[in-house]
Amino acid sequence: MAVLSKSGKIYRADPLFDNIKELFVGRKALNGARPGDLVVLRPDGRGRGEVIKRLGKAGSLKVLMEGILTYYQVPRGFSPAALEEAEAQSGLTAVDDEGRRDLTGLYTFTIDPDEAKDFDDAISLVDGPGAGEVTLYVHIADVAYFVPPGSAVDREAQSKACSVYLPVSVEPMLPLPLSNDACSLKAGVDRKCVTVELIFDWEEVDDGTEEFRGEFRGHNTKLNGGDRADSGKSGKSKKGGKGDVADKDKALALDSMFPRKVRFYRSVINSRRRLTYNEVDDFFEGVAVLENSGWGKSGEAEEGGLATGNGTADSGSVDVGRLL
């Protein structure tokens, strides 16, 4: 990958990503490329090269992104078989499959970059089920439901391994009917997920704030080279601690992040709100307020409800800031 330039009658190619010297390109080896172009070269091992592909003007951001994908040999696009399969599988969003827990009554939202088009995870936080407890739900798009093992989509997704995000484009791991639709937790539509449900203690402390308290349940687990101890105790750390006291406070703080109970299951959710990283950052910096509104199942705006432990929504408004 190199940028062509011309000095007098001599054409040079300056490698863009490789730490090697410039290459000389003969007129017959330009193959239609011109100075200022970003090109793919075939070196001859003797300081010269031949243009095998012209990508466009090097000053274009879009061309530069194409150069990055080409240089790193990112697999591009999908076969007709995979595209046809993805289109058919995306229709499974409307299937009411047995055994999937209905969590559409929860106030659920996503947090992603401003430019995101695929939303693969969402969260909900509710009071209960018991007094002094809160339940955190982490919802992950149920991609495996739409991609049968050994299918064309599965094989091509394995070759890609991940979606590649660039400033002006994305090369998705899955075809768009899945990545941007059926497997995207967009606001206002039901989507199939795998949900992790975590129950924490929630208590007021002496300074009037609130904190999580959790109970660690594990065996032979180490933290910073030592055994975990005093599980279930408050994780509030003491400022100014030193040595063993500070280490113990840190261990207790981390222990308090562990939920008292965890379970996994397949679910269906309906996201009420899409938040961006910038909105959340502004909220925590105190320069913005999150409105208590979201999207209902009908796709029309509605007042946000704080969900109860049984997965249904209260009529009262939800403090989205508390959820964060």
PDB file of all heavy atoms in Angstrom, residues 1-2 14-23 41 43 71-72:
ATOM      1  N   MET A   1       0.856  -1.173   0.000  1.00  0.00           N
ATOM      2  CA  MET A   1       0.000   0.000   0.000  1.00  0.00           C
ATOM      3  C   MET A   1       0.901   1.235   0.000  1.00  0.00           C
ATOM      4  O   MET A   1       1.736   1.404   0.897  1.00  0.00           O
ATOM      5  CB  MET A   1      -0.878  -0.010   1.263  1.00  0.00           C
ATOM      6  CG  MET A   1      -2.016   0.964   1.225  1.00  0.00           C
ATOM      7  SD  MET A   1      -3.246   0.536  -0.011  1.00  0.00           S
ATOM      8  CE  MET A   1      -3.649  -1.137   0.486  1.00  0.00           C
ATOM      9  N   ALA A   2       0.762   2.095  -1.033  1.00  0.00           N
ATOM     10  CA  ALA A   2       1.675   3.223  -1.154  1.00  0.00           C
ATOM     11  C   ALA A   2       0.987   4.387  -1.847  1.00  0.00           C
ATOM     12  O   ALA A   2      -0.038   4.227  -2.517  1.00  0.00           O
ATOM     13  CB  ALA A   2       2.922   2.802  -1.926  1.00  0.00           C
ATOM     14  N   ASP A  14       5.585   5.789  -2.050  1.00  0.00           N
ATOM     15  CA  ASP A  14       5.953   5.840  -0.628  1.00  0.00           C
ATOM     16  C   ASP A  14       5.022   4.921   0.156  1.00  0.00           C
ATOM     17  O   ASP A  14       3.813   5.203   0.272  1.00  0.00           O
ATOM     18  CB  ASP A  14       5.833   7.265  -0.094  1.00  0.00           C
ATOM     19  CG  ASP A  14       6.794   8.216  -0.790  1.00  0.00           C
ATOM     20  OD1 ASP A  14       7.995   7.916  -0.797  1.00  0.00           O
ATOM     21  OD2 ASP A  14       6.322   9.247  -1.338  1.00  0.00           O
ATOM     22  N   PRO A  15       5.543   3.822   0.712  1.00  0.00           N
ATOM     23  CA  PRO A  15       4.710   2.883   1.479  1.00  0.00           C
ATOM     24  C   PRO A  15       3.982   3.587   2.615  1.00  0.00           C
ATOM     25  O   PRO A  15       4.572   4.399   3.338  1.00  0.00           O
ATOM     26  CB  PRO A  15       5.717   1.856   1.999  1.00  0.00           C
ATOM     27  CG  PRO A  15       6.829   1.902   1.003  1.00  0.00           C
ATOM     28  CD  PRO A  15       6.931   3.354   0.593  1.00  0.00           C
ATOM     29  N   LEU A  16       2.695   3.286   2.751  1.00  0.00           N
ATOM     30  CA  LEU A  16       1.867   3.976   3.737  1.00  0.00           C
ATOM     31  C   LEU A  16       1.923   3.311   5.104  1.00  0.00           C
ATOM     32  O   LEU A  16       1.933   3.979   6.139  1.00  0.00           O
ATOM     33  CB  LEU A  16       0.418   4.019   3.242  1.00  0.00           C
ATOM     34  CG  LEU A  16      -0.532   4.962   3.964  1.00  0.00           C
ATOM     35  CD1 LEU A  16      -0.039   6.395   3.862  1.00  0.00           C
ATOM     36  CD2 LEU A  16      -1.929   4.832   3.381  1.00  0.00           C
ATOM     37  N   PHE A  17       1.970   1.990   5.153  1.00  0.00           N
ATOM     38  CA  PHE A  17       1.916   1.277   6.422  1.00  0.00           C
ATOM     39  C   PHE A  17       3.215   0.542   6.747  1.00  0.00           C
ATOM     40  O   PHE A  17       3.526   0.321   7.914  1.00  0.00           O
ATOM     41  CB  PHE A  17       0.763   0.272   6.416  1.00  0.00           C
ATOM     42  CG  PHE A  17      -0.571   0.903   6.153  1.00  0.00           C
ATOM     43  CD1 PHE A  17      -1.317   0.532   5.045  1.00  0.00           C
ATOM     44  CD2 PHE A  17      -1.082   1.858   7.001  1.00  0.00           C
ATOM     45  CE1 PHE A  17      -2.554   1.106   4.791  1.00  0.00           C
ATOM     46  CE2 PHE A  17      -2.311   2.449   6.764  1.00  0.00           C
ATOM     47  CZ  PHE A  17      -3.049   2.079   5.653  1.00  0.00           C
ATOM     48  N   ASP A  18       3.958   0.124   5.742  1.00  0.00           N
ATOM     49  CA  ASP A  18       5.185  -0.638   5.973  1.00  0.00           C
ATOM     50  C   ASP A  18       6.371   0.301   6.172  1.00  0.00           C
ATOM     51  O   ASP A  18       6.493   1.329   5.494  1.00  0.00           O
ATOM     52  CB  ASP A  18       5.466  -1.557   4.776  1.00  0.00           C
ATOM     53  CG  ASP A  18       4.380  -2.594   4.605  1.00  0.00           C
ATOM     54  OD1 ASP A  18       4.174  -3.365   5.553  1.00  0.00           O
ATOM     55  OD2 ASP A  18       3.749  -2.615   3.540  1.00  0.00           O
ATOM     56  N   ASN A  19       7.239  -0.075   7.084  1.00  0.00           N
ATOM     57  CA  ASN A  19       8.437   0.729   7.366  1.00  0.00           C
ATOM     58  C   ASN A  19       9.565   0.308   6.424  1.00  0.00           C
ATOM     59  O   ASN A  19      10.565  -0.289   6.830  1.00  0.00           O
ATOM     60  CB  ASN A  19       8.854   0.547   8.825  1.00  0.00           C
ATOM     61  CG  ASN A  19       9.964   1.494   9.221  1.00  0.00           C
ATOM     62  OD1 ASN A  19      10.160   2.546   8.598  1.00  0.00           O
ATOM     63  ND2 ASN A  19      10.722   1.126  10.255  1.00  0.00           N
ATOM     64  N   ILE A  20       9.370   0.592   5.137  1.00  0.00           N
ATOM     65  CA  ILE A  20      10.366   0.263   4.134  1.00  0.00           C
ATOM     66  C   ILE A  20      10.618   1.486   3.262  1.00  0.00           C
ATOM     67  O   ILE A  20       9.853   2.456   3.287  1.00  0.00           O
ATOM     68  CB  ILE A  20       9.921  -0.927   3.245  1.00  0.00           C
ATOM     69  CG1 ILE A  20       8.607  -0.585   2.522  1.00  0.00           C
ATOM     70  CG2 ILE A  20       9.774  -2.190   4.068  1.00  0.00           C
ATOM     71  CD1 ILE A  20       8.141  -1.653   1.570  1.00  0.00           C
ATOM     72  N   LYS A  21      11.705   1.437   2.495  1.00  0.00           N
ATOM     73  CA  LYS A  21      12.067   2.566   1.643  1.00  0.00           C
ATOM     74  C   LYS A  21      11.098   2.691   0.478  1.00  0.00           C
ATOM     75  O   LYS A  21      10.382   1.757   0.124  1.00  0.00           O
ATOM     76  CB  LYS A  21      13.497   2.395   1.122  1.00  0.00           C
ATOM     77  CG  LYS A  21      14.570   2.450   2.208  1.00  0.00           C
ATOM     78  CD  LYS A  21      15.950   2.301   1.598  1.00  0.00           C
ATOM     79  CE  LYS A  21      17.039   2.378   2.674  1.00  0.00           C
ATOM     80  NZ  LYS A  21      18.390   2.225   2.090  1.00  0.00           N
ATOM     81  N   GLU A  22      11.104   3.888  -0.135  1.00  0.00           N
ATOM     82  CA  GLU A  22      10.263   4.112  -1.294  1.00  0.00           C
ATOM     83  C   GLU A  22      10.640   3.172  -2.435  1.00  0.00           C
ATOM     84  O   GLU A  22      11.774   2.685  -2.523  1.00  0.00           O
ATOM     85  CB  GLU A  22      10.406   5.561  -1.761  1.00  0.00           C
ATOM     86  CG  GLU A  22      11.805   5.897  -2.250  1.00  0.00           C
ATOM     87  CD  GLU A  22      11.940   7.343  -2.677  1.00  0.00           C
ATOM     88  OE1 GLU A  22      10.973   8.106  -2.499  1.00  0.00           O
ATOM     89  OE2 GLU A  22      13.016   7.714  -3.189  1.00  0.00           O
ATOM     90  N   LEU A  23       9.666   2.922  -3.267  1.00  0.00           N
ATOM     91  CA  LEU A  23       9.880   2.078  -4.442  1.00  0.00           C
ATOM     92  C   LEU A  23       9.745   2.936  -5.703  1.00  0.00           C
ATOM     93  O   LEU A  23       9.004   3.928  -5.721  1.00  0.00           O
ATOM     94  CB  LEU A  23       8.847   0.941  -4.484  1.00  0.00           C
ATOM     95  CG  LEU A  23       8.847  -0.028  -3.298  1.00  0.00           C
ATOM     96  CD1 LEU A  23       7.659  -0.974  -3.403  1.00  0.00           C
ATOM     97  CD2 LEU A  23      10.138  -0.817  -3.244  1.00  0.00           C
ATOM     98  N   LEU A  41       0.740  -2.126  -4.503  1.00  0.00           N
ATOM     99  CA  LEU A  41       1.926  -2.420  -5.306  1.00  0.00           C
ATOM    100  C   LEU A  41       2.355  -3.865  -5.165  1.00  0.00           C
ATOM    101  O   LEU A  41       2.173  -4.479  -4.109  1.00  0.00           O
ATOM    102  CB  LEU A  41       3.107  -1.538  -4.875  1.00  0.00           C
ATOM    103  CG  LEU A  41       3.159  -0.083  -5.340  1.00  0.00           C
ATOM    104  CD1 LEU A  41       4.395   0.567  -4.763  1.00  0.00           C
ATOM    105  CD2 LEU A  41       3.152   0.024  -6.848  1.00  0.00           C
ATOM    106  N   PRO A  43       5.905  -5.458  -5.190  1.00  0.00           N
ATOM    107  CA  PRO A  43       7.349  -5.194  -5.266  1.00  0.00           C
ATOM    108  C   PRO A  43       8.066  -6.321  -6.007  1.00  0.00           C
ATOM    109  O   PRO A  43       7.640  -7.477  -5.953  1.00  0.00           O
ATOM    110  CB  PRO A  43       7.792  -5.138  -3.802  1.00  0.00           C
ATOM    111  CG  PRO A  43       6.570  -5.222  -2.979  1.00  0.00           C
ATOM    112  CD  PRO A  43       5.474  -5.762  -3.826  1.00  0.00           C
ATOM    113  N   TYR A  71      -5.189  -3.512   3.067  1.00  0.00           N
ATOM    114  CA  TYR A  71      -3.871  -3.847   3.609  1.00  0.00           C
ATOM    115  C   TYR A  71      -3.962  -4.988   4.619  1.00  0.00           C
ATOM    116  O   TYR A  71      -3.141  -5.904   4.626  1.00  0.00           O
ATOM    117  CB  TYR A  71      -3.253  -2.612   4.269  1.00  0.00           C
ATOM    118  CG  TYR A  71      -1.916  -2.870   4.916  1.00  0.00           C
ATOM    119  CD1 TYR A  71      -0.754  -2.956   4.150  1.00  0.00           C
ATOM    120  CD2 TYR A  71      -1.812  -3.031   6.295  1.00  0.00           C
ATOM    121  CE1 TYR A  71       0.478  -3.205   4.741  1.00  0.00           C
ATOM    122  CE2 TYR A  71      -0.593  -3.282   6.887  1.00  0.00           C
ATOM    123  CZ  TYR A  71       0.555  -3.358   6.112  1.00  0.00           C
ATOM    124  OH  TYR A  71       1.765  -3.618   6.697  1.00  0.00           O
ATOM    125  N   TYR A  72      -4.989  -4.932   5.480  1.00  0.00           N
ATOM    126  CA  TYR A  72      -5.121  -5.960   6.515  1.00  0.00           C
ATOM    127  C   TYR A  72      -5.929  -7.163   6.045  1.00  0.00           C
ATOM    128  O   TYR A  72      -6.256  -8.047   6.844  1.00  0.00           O
ATOM    129  CB  TYR A  72      -5.744  -5.352   7.771  1.00  0.00           C
ATOM    130  CG  TYR A  72      -4.771  -4.475   8.522  1.00  0.00           C
ATOM    131  CD1 TYR A  72      -4.850  -3.083   8.429  1.00  0.00           C
ATOM    132  CD2 TYR A  72      -3.755  -5.030   9.295  1.00  0.00           C
ATOM    133  CE1 TYR A  72      -3.949  -2.264   9.105  1.00  0.00           C
ATOM    134  CE2 TYR A  72      -2.853  -4.221   9.972  1.00  0.00           C
ATOM    135  CZ  TYR A  72      -2.956  -2.845   9.872  1.00  0.00           C
ATOM    136  OH  TYR A  72      -2.050  -2.050  10.537  1.00  0.00           O
TER     137      TYR A  72
END
